[in-house]
C-alpha cells in the first residue's frame, strides 16, 4: 500500500557562469556522482534524481515551478558546489511549494595540502557558497532542513534519509482522504479540532459518514469472501478454540471477518488512507471493529478511535515515514501506571485497536466482552509488544495553531504475565522519567491518544512538523521541566506573532 520508491527527490546544484564552462562541467560531473551515490544509499528510500546545474535566475525559477507541478517530486536537495549568488534564487524559492533540504557538504573530503591552488579553491567552495544560499533561505523565512557533513558519511545519509521519509509522509498527506465513521466520542475535547484549518495547514481532507453507510457495505460481504478470510485468520494467528469452525463462537469470528471485508471495500472504493470509529456509535454494526482495525492498520491505514481524526492522520503519516523498516507503528493510548522504585512505568493499550505491526510474537485471536458500551463481544488480537526505544506523538489543536508533542520511551517486558488483560499492550519507561515526561506532556496539553512507533524517530517528526510549519515539542532524556515550561510560553508568543493578522 505504501511504496516510497515512486517518490523522487531532485538533487539540485547551484553555481554561476563566472568560472567558465570547464568548471561548470566538473560541477555537473561531481553532482551527478553524488546524486547517484545518495540514490543507491540503503538509508535513503526514495529515488534521487540528478538535475542539471543551475546558473541563472530563469533556470532556477523554471526548476522550482517544474517541481511544484511534478506529481512524483516530493522535494529538493539543494547544494552550492561553487558560489551561486543568492539573489538568483529569490524568484524560484518564493515560488517553491515543495519541501527542501539544504545539504551543506563538499565534493572533496580533505584538503590536498601539497596540491591546493586557487582553481581548487574556486571549485570547492561550498563553505562559502552555501552560506550565501543559507542567508536567502533565512531572509525569506523558509522552513528547510540543513544537513552538514561529508556526503558519504553514514550520519549524513541517515539524516537525508529521515527527511525523505518525512517528505514522503508530507506528500502523502496532501489531498489525502480520511473517513470518519460516526462523530467524536461525546464531550471529549482533545479529539476535536478545526478540520478546515487542518486541511489548509496539513493538507488532508476529513470526510464524515453515518455508520449506516459502512453497514451497507459490510452487509454486502459474501459467504465465500468470509470463508476465505476466516481461513487466513486460522493461518496467521493463534485462534481461540471457540472461534474456530465448529466452535460455539464461530459466528462472532465470521461477523468480525464480515466487518473487515466491508471496511476494506469501503476504504478502497473511496481511496481513503485513514479512518476513525467510535464505540458510542455502532448503529447496525454487530461489534466494535477490533480485529478489522488492527489488520487495516497493519496494512498501512491510519486509525484513530473515538473519532480522533488528528491521531488517525498522524498514524498514517508515521506509517509512511516508517515504511519498509522494522518496528511498526500503532495507534496507542496511555492507559494505566505502575509506580515503582525500579522506575515509574506506563502501560499503553486501547479498548482493542493496537496494530499487530508492533507485536513481539504471533498474536492470539480471541473473543471477550468489551466491558464498556454494552455491545456484542468483539473479536480482537492480543499480544505483548516489541521492546526497545520507541516514540509516542500526538497533535493537538491549540486554538490558534496545531502543536505536535512527542515523548521518547523505552519499551520493556512486563513485570509478570497479564493473563486476564484482554487487549494488546506495551509497557514503557518514559524518558527522562515519568515525573518529568508526564508533567511536560500535561503542561503541553498532550492528548491521551498517540501514534506510537519503534521505527519513526524524533528527527522524522521534527522534519515533518517543519514542513507543515507547526509547533514541535520533544520530551526526551534531555528534557528539563523548567526549560520546557519556558519554551511553552515563548512558543505561544512566537506563533502568535509569526502568524500575523
Ligand atoms: Mn481512546
Amino acid at each position: 500500500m505504501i511504496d516510497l520508491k515512486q517518490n523522487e527527490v531532485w538533487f539540485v546544484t547551484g553555481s554561476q557562469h563566472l568560472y567558465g564552462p570547464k568548471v561548470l562541467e566538473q560541477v555537473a560531473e561531481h553532482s551527478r556522482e553524488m546524486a547517484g551515490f545518495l540514490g543507491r544509499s540503503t538509508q535513503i528510500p526514495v529515488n534521487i534524481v540528478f538535475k542539471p546545474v543551475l546558473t541563472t535566475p530563469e533556470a532556477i525559477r523554471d526548476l522550482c515551478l517544474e517541481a511544484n507541478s511534478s506529481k512524483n517530486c516530493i522535494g529538493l536537495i539543494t547544494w552550492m558546489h561553487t558560489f551561486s549568488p543568492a539573489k538568483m534564487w529569490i524568484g524560484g524559492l518564493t515560488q517553491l511549494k515543495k519541501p527542501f533540504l539544504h545539504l551543506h557538504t563538499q565534493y572533496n573530503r580533505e584538503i590536498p595540502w601539497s596540491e591546493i591552488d586557487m582553481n581548487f579553491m574556486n571549485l570547492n567552495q561550498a563553505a562559502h557558497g552555501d552560506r550565501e544560499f543559507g542567508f536567502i533561505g533565512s531572509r525569506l523565512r523558509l522552513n528547510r532542513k540543513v544537513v552538514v557533513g561529508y556526503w558519504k558519511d553514514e550520519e549524513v545519509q541517515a539524516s537525508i534519509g529521515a527527511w525523505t521519509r518525512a517528505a514522503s509522509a508530507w506528500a502523502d498527506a496532501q489531498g489525502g482522504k480520511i473517513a470518519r465513521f460516526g462523530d467524536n466520542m461525546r464531550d471529549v475535547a482533545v479529539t476535536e479540532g478545526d478540520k478546515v484549518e487542518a486541511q489548509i495547514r496539513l493538507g488532508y481532507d476529513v470526510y464524515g459518514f453515518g455508520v449506516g453507510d459502512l453497514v451497507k457495505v459490510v452487509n454486502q460481504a459474501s459467504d465465500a469472501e468470509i470463508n476465505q478470510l476466516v481461513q487466513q485468520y486460522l493461518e496467521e494467528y493463534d485462534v481461540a478454540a471457540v472461534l474456530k469452525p465448529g466452535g460455539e463462537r464461530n459466528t462472532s469470528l465470521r461477523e468480525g471477518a464480515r466487518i473487515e471485508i466491508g471496511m476494506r471495500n469501503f476504504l478502497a472504493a473511496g481511496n481513503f488512507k485513514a479512518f476513525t470509529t467510535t464505540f458510542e456509535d455502532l448503529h447496525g454494526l454487530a461489534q466494535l471493529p477490533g480485529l478489522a482495525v488492527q489488520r487495516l492498520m497493519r496494512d498501512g491505514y491510519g486509525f484513530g478511535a473515538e473519532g480522533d481524526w488528528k491521531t488517525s492522520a498522524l498514524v498514517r503519516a508515521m506509517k509512511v515515514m516508517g515504511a519498509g523498516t522494522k518496528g511498526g507503528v500503532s495507534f496507542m493510548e496511555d492507559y494505566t501506571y505502575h509506580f515503582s522504585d525500579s522506575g515509574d512505568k506506563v502501560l499503553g493499550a486501547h479498548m482493542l485497536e493496537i496494530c499487530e505491526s508492533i507485536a513481539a510474537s504471533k498474536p492470539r485471536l480471541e473473543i471477550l466482552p468489551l466491558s464498556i458500551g454494552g455491545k456484542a463481544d468483539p473479536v480482537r488480537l492480543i499480544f505483548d509488544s516489541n521492546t526497545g526505544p520507541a516514540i509516542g506523538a500526538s497533535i493537538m489543536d491549540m486554538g490558534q495553531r496545531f502543536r505536535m508533542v512527542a515523548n521518547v520511551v523505552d519499551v520493556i517486558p512486563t513485570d509478570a504475565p497479564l493473563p486476564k488483560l484482554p487487549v494488546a499492550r506495551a509497557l514503557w519507561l518514559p524518558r527522562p522519567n515519568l515525573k518529568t515526561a508526564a508533567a511536560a506532556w500535561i503542561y503541553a496539553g498532550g492528548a491521551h491518544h498517540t501514534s506510537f512507533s519503534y521505527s519513526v524517530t524524533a528527527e522524522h517528526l521534527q522534519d515533518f512538523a517543519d514542513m507543515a510549519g507547526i509547533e514541535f515539542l520533544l520530551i526526551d532524556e534531555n528534557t528539563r521541566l523548567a526549560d520546557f515550561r519556558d519554551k511553552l510560553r515563548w512558543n505561544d508568543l512566537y506563533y502568535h506573532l509569526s502568524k500575523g493578522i
Side-chain angles (χ1 to χ4, degrees):
M1 183 183 181
I2 299 168
D3 175 21
L4 301 185
K5 263 294 165 204
Q6 66 184 353
N7 294 339
E8 293 178 0
V9 167
W10 294 358
F11 191 90
V12 175
T13 309
S15 187
Q16 61 173 317
H17 284 291
L18 199 64
Y19 309 106
K22 225 175 123 198
V23 169
L24 286 178
E25 272 168 40
Q26 238 176 335
V27 168
E29 199 182 305
H30 291 167
S31 302
R32 193 185 302 265
E33 183 187 338
M34 290 163 71
F37 176 84
L38 295 175
R40 288 188 299 276
S41 166
T42 52
Q43 306 220 49
I44 299 175
V46 303
N47 274 322
I48 304 291
V49 177
F50 168 78
K51 289 284 166 181
V53 177
L54 300 176
T55 54
T56 66
E58 292 77 15
I60 291 167
R61 191 167 179 276
D62 284 351
L63 180 118
C64 290
L65 294 176
E66 194 190 333
N68 288 348
S69 59
S70 161
K71 230 177 169 175
N72 292 337
C73 175
I74 59 162
L76 308 182
I77 294 175
T78 56
W79 172 56
M80 307 301 122
H81 194 348
T82 62
F83 195 83
S84 181
K87 281 173 76 178
M88 297 199 308
W89 287 82
I90 295 173
L93 290 179
T94 50
Q95 295 297 314
L96 184 66
K97 300 281 185 210
K98 300 277 168 94
F100 77 99
L101 178 150
H102 181 186
L103 176 59
H104 183 46
T105 189
Q106 182 169 286
Y107 178 71
N108 277 65
R109 185 194 287 269
E110 292 164 346
I111 292 172
W113 303 107
S114 63
E115 298 289 325
I116 188 167
D117 57 11
M118 276 323 283
N119 284 340
F120 181 94
M121 296 267 274
N122 282 333
L123 178 64
N124 295 282
Q125 58 169 314
H128 174 190
D130 272 333
R131 280 175 164 74
E132 164 73 356
F133 180 76
F135 163 74
I136 208 64
S138 292
R139 173 71 179 78
L140 294 170
R141 310 287 194 281
L142 296 177
N143 283 327
R144 78 277 195 201
K145 183 177 193 177
V146 179
V147 175
V148 181
Y150 185 57
W151 50 285
K152 285 186 178 171
D153 284 354
E154 288 291 325
E155 250 182 60
V156 168
Q157 293 172 52
S159 219
I160 295 172
W163 178 84
T164 64
R165 289 180 173 280
S168 295
W170 178 249
D172 181 75
Q174 306 315 300
K177 291 169 68 181
I178 298 176
R180 299 178 84 224
F181 301 117
D183 200 350
N184 277 48
M185 179 179 168
R186 290 185 269 288
D187 276 343
V188 176
V190 77
T191 52
E192 289 283 1
D194 182 344
K195 301 188 198 79
V196 174
E197 186 63 21
Q199 192 173 352
I200 294 168
R201 181 58 69 180
L202 293 152
Y204 57 76
D205 195 357
V206 184
Y207 291 69
F209 295 97
V211 181
D213 296 335
L214 173 61
V215 169
K216 214 165 90 187
V217 184
V218 166
N219 288 340
Q220 287 164 3
S222 71
D223 277 350
E225 287 174 303
I226 293 170
N227 291 342
Q228 200 184 358
L229 188 53
V230 166
Q231 190 54 39
Q232 265 186 48
Y233 295 161
L234 293 170
E235 284 161 20
E236 289 181 38
Y237 309 118
D238 253 331
V239 181
V242 287
L243 290 175
K244 287 185 176 167
E248 63 198 61
R249 311 294 301 272
N250 180 246
T251 323
S252 297
L253 185 63
R254 295 182 64 81
E255 198 52 46
R258 186 193 308 282
I259 292 172
E260 179 180 336
I261 293 161
M263 289 186 108
R264 225 173 251 283
N265 287 341
F266 190 103
L267 295 170
N271 201 22
F272 293 104
K273 293 172 171 173
F275 65 102
T276 69
T277 60
T278 175
F279 73 93
E280 275 193 325
D281 190 357
L282 292 177
H283 172 85
L285 272 187
Q287 310 169 5
L288 173 64
L291 175 64
V293 171
Q294 292 176 295
R295 287 170 54 83
L296 285 161
M297 250 193 287
R298 176 199 70 183
D299 293 343
Y301 284 98
F303 172 75
E306 291 113 43
D308 188 349
W309 50 273
K310 293 194 298 301
T311 304
S312 179
L314 185 58
V315 170
R316 166 66 186 191
M318 288 170 70
K319 290 275 181 193
V320 175
M321 291 180 216
T325 59
K326 277 188 195 164
V329 179
S330 179
F331 175 73
M332 186 62 77
E333 182 167 293
D334 293 74
Y335 227 113
T336 197
Y337 288 143
H338 182 69
F339 290 110
S340 145
D341 293 339
S342 64
D344 297 339
K345 297 161 192 166
V346 181
L347 185 66
H350 205 256
M351 287 157 66
L352 302 171
E353 312 93 337
I354 301 300
C355 176
E356 64 168 292
S357 67
I358 68 168
S361 56
K362 191 176 186 177
R364 291 177 290 140
L365 175 48
E366 301 206 17
I367 181 157
L368 293 149
L370 190 59
S371 315
I372 186 168
K375 301 289 187 222
D377 299 351
V379 288
R380 81 284 299 275
L381 299 173
I382 303 176
F383 52 83
D384 289 318
S385 299
N386 288 318
T387 54
I391 196 164
S394 78
I395 293 181
M396 295 77 64
D397 182 342
M398 302 306 288
Q400 300 84 10
R401 67 180 184 278
F402 290 106
R403 161 181 284 169
M404 188 192 294
V405 60
N407 186 198
V408 180
V409 306
D410 293 288
V411 184
I412 52 174
T414 54
D415 294 9
L418 306 163
K420 291 189 173 171
L421 189 69
V423 289
R425 59 276 181 152
L427 181 76
W428 64 80
L429 290 159
R431 294 188 196 176
N433 53 57
L434 179 68
K435 266 189 203 306
T436 301
W441 190 275
I442 287 168
Y443 280 125
H448 50 279
H449 288 163
T450 60
S451 174
F452 191 85
S453 176
Y454 296 73
S455 52
V456 173
T457 66
E459 186 177 13
H460 296 101
L461 296 173
Q462 172 84 68
D463 289 352
F464 183 82
D466 284 345
M467 287 169 198
I470 65 171
E471 183 184 6
F472 178 70
L473 296 166
L474 179 64
I475 302 165
D476 67 1
E477 57 278 14
N478 300 317
T479 298
R480 285 188 61 248
L481 194 56
D483 295 342
F484 188 87
R485 294 188 69 185
D486 280 342
K487 198 172 180 182
L488 293 177
R489 294 186 185 103
W490 298 334
N491 280 5
D492 265 337
L493 201 60
Y494 167 78
Y495 283 95
H496 183 71
L497 291 174
S498 70
K499 198 173 175 183
I501 298 171

